Amino acid sequence: MEQVMKHYGNAILAVIVLLALGAIIIAALSSDGYVATEFKNALTGFFSSMNGLK
């Protein structure tokens, strides 16, 4: 176990941190809070502007 942690410790830590960040982002976007509303508005505005360029 000690050898595994010496060899793969940094990679395991990086995966854990990325999973935690992903969970936080998904939790923030899945609710109908401020972050989700602004993200939806940004996407809607972007695609509306892109349709206006045709």
Side-chain angles (χ1 to χ4, degrees):
M1 185 68 177
E2 185 177 331
Q3 289 178 344
V4 170
M5 289 307 292
K6 281 183 181 179
H7 192 69
Y8 296 110
N10 290 337
I12 292 170
L13 182 61
V15 168
I16 291 170
V17 168
L18 289 175
L19 287 174
L21 284 174
I24 291 170
I25 291 171
I26 289 172
L29 292 177
S30 65
S31 64
D32 288 333
Y34 177 75
V35 175
T37 303
E38 290 301 316
F39 188 72
K40 289 175 190 173
N41 289 341
L43 284 177
T44 303
F46 173 75
F47 286 113
S48 296
S49 297
M50 290 297 113
N51 281 337
L53 292 176
K54 286 185 179 181

